Amino acid sequence: MSPRQTLLRRCFAASLPLLLALPAAAQDGPASFREDFDRIDGKRWFISDGWTNGPHQNCDWSQKAVRAEDGILKLMYFTDPSGQGKNRCSEIQTQERYLHGTFEARVRTDHRASGLNAAFFSYIGPVHGEPHDEIDFEILTRNTSSVDVNTYVSGEPKNGAKVALDPPTDEDWHTFSFIWEPERIRWFVDGKLVHEATETLPVTAQKIFFSHWSTDVLTEWMGAYRAPQKPVALEVDWVAWTAPGEACQFPESVLCQLEN
């Protein structure tokens, strides 16, 4: 495991005690959904506010940095003009937990900036009373022409790959999807299969997250931190989860393309 991975995951696992109080999914499982972000529904989403995930992060989660405008979720990143290091970053997560199924979102970034991470992923961990399991799409915005995909299983990184994107995320939208089955995870970009894993897979139901944050420590992975000259955003047009075994729910879903 790299120094970045060790530091990031230990800090993540030890932080966010408030999340312990969030409800788990109902025993009979959550319903499939598609969210178009005409507003931020507090029954579905929890917004991180007032803390960081550890010393690797040089910004605080802020509710003021999360907004829905014209049907687009914007996860903003603001630098601190005072130079006191109180940058503001953003994170949103589902109240429910999801085990298997099709997870997908249409996203873009409006910037290129070293030291920032714009991510769509699922996660569960010790702060929820569970082992650390995770499935990721992570855009390191120093290079918007690629996205990192990977898993974590009981806190250990597995199944990683870097996937090229054309066009870059700061030039156009992309649909990121992963289909999580008991014996397989498949990652798709714009309906095209880009990566697959069949060994050492997560086993615990997870929450769906979007986050946009920065570091001045994890330079080997995310690049040297360079403060953006203006507020920047990870934008989300829509996000959806389709329960295992259900058919395509809407035309943009990767499931429709696979059925055809």
Side-chain angles (χ1 to χ4, degrees), residues 25 76 182 210:
M76 306 298 298
F210 296 95

Side-chain angles (χ1 to χ4, degrees), residues 12-69:
F12 203 169
S15 63
L16 312 188
L18 292 176
L19 299 187
L20 287 169
L22 295 181
Q27 289 184 355
D28 56 355
S32 299
F33 75 90
R34 170 172 161 149
E35 176 69 74
D36 289 316
F37 292 114
D38 294 323
R39 62 186 182 90
I40 299 175
D41 183 355
K43 292 182 179 180
R44 175 168 288 151
W45 299 101
F46 177 85
I47 300 174
S48 301
D49 183 65
W51 68 84
T52 73
N53 284 357
H56 65 280
Q57 188 175 312
N58 67 351
C59 60
D60 291 348
W61 301 128
S62 175
Q63 186 171 11
K64 294 180 179 179
V66 178
R67 60 188 64 165
E69 296 179 351

Side-chain angles (χ1 to χ4, degrees), residues 12 16 19 22 33 35-51 53 57 59-69 71-77 88-96 98 103-107 117-124 128 134-137 206-213 233-240:
F12 203 169
L16 312 188
L19 299 187
L22 295 181
F33 75 90
E35 176 69 74
D36 289 316
F37 292 114
D38 294 323
R39 62 186 182 90
I40 299 175
D41 183 355
K43 292 182 179 180
R44 175 168 288 151
W45 299 101
F46 177 85
I47 300 174
S48 301
D49 183 65
W51 68 84
N53 284 357
Q57 188 175 312
C59 60
D60 291 348
W61 301 128
S62 175
Q63 186 171 11
K64 294 180 179 179
V66 178
R67 60 188 64 165
E69 296 179 351
I72 302 295
L73 173 67
K74 294 188 176 183
L75 293 128
M76 306 298 298
Y77 179 86
R88 295 292 179 261
C89 48
S90 47
E91 181 179 77
I92 189 170
Q93 60 187 275
T94 55
Q95 305 276 14
E96 290 273 16
Y98 303 89
F103 301 68
E104 43 196 337
R106 186 161 176 81
V107 306
N117 182 317
F120 161 51
F121 61 106
S122 61
Y123 169 83
I124 204 73
H128 310 104
E134 185 172 341
I135 307 171
D136 293 329
F137 279 100
Q206 301 172 36
K207 297 172 179 245
I208 299 170
F209 282 75
F210 296 95
S211 67
H212 192 194
W213 58 279
L234 165 63
E235 298 183 343
V236 185
D237 186 11
W238 52 263
V239 61

Side-chain angles (χ1 to χ4, degrees), residues 56 58-59 77-79 87 109-118 139-145 169-170 212-230 232:
H56 65 280
N58 67 351
C59 60
Y77 179 86
F78 305 100
T79 57
N87 303 318
T109 60
D110 66 357
H111 59 290
R112 299 187 186 189
S114 184
L116 272 67
N117 182 317
I139 304 164
L140 310 181
T141 59
R142 64 173 175 164
N143 176 16
T144 56
S145 295
T169 60
D170 60 322
H212 192 194
W213 58 279
S214 63
T215 185
D216 51 18
V217 175
L218 306 176
T219 56
E220 182 178 348
W221 180 50
M222 289 170 54
Y225 175 69
R226 296 186 179 91
Q229 298 304 302
K230 62 179 182 179
V232 294

